[in-house]
């Protein structure tokens, strides 16, 4: 048995390995949490591929639908635009497409933040 030294507050110099075991448990829990978060993010990415976002321009005469993985799924142009100049129609398509993409990006950012906060929200990582 190790001799206690008063200068160390009466603590034994004998190493019990308790802190090392605690650290190992913490590392294992962190790894498990990371794996769960990665799986949930992967599932979310799969869901994004089928989620749709739409936007209109020109008072609804142009509608663009994009998926959450930022692919244009459909563009609908009203027959009211049959006599309209090509440049105007093109600008409406661009505006609706950009808005739909922005909606999809914002949704992805918000949901990804929710998932991340679910797993590491309360952790102080010293950053």
């Amino acid at each position: 048995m190790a001799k206690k030294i008063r200068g160390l507050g009466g603590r034994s110099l004998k190493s019990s390995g308790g802190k090392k075991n605690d650290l190992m448990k913490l590392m294992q829990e962190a790894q498990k949490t990371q794996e769960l978060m990665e799986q949930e993010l992967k599932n979310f990415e799969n869901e994004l591929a089928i989620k749709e976002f739409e936007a209109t321009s020109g008072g609804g005469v142009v509608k663009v639908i994009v998926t959450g993985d930022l692919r244009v799924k459909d563009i609908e142009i009203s027959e009211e635009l049959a006599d309209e100049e090509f440049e105007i129609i093109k600008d409406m398509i661009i505006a609706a497409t950009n808005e739909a993409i922005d909606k999809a990006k914002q949704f992805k950012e918000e949901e990804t933040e929710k998932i991340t906060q679910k797993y590491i929200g309360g952790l102080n990582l010293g950053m």
Side-chain angles (χ1 to χ4, degrees), residues 97-112:
T97 302
N98 287 335
E99 184 181 339
I101 289 171
D102 287 344
K103 286 180 179 180
K105 283 181 177 179
Q106 182 176 358
F107 177 80
K108 180 179 180 181
E109 288 174 14
E110 290 171 356
E111 293 301 309
T112 300

Side-chain angles (χ1 to χ4, degrees), residues 87-102:
E87 286 298 315
I88 293 173
I89 296 171
K90 185 174 95 171
D91 288 344
M92 286 188 220
I93 293 170
I94 291 170
T97 302
N98 287 335
E99 184 181 339
I101 289 171
D102 287 344

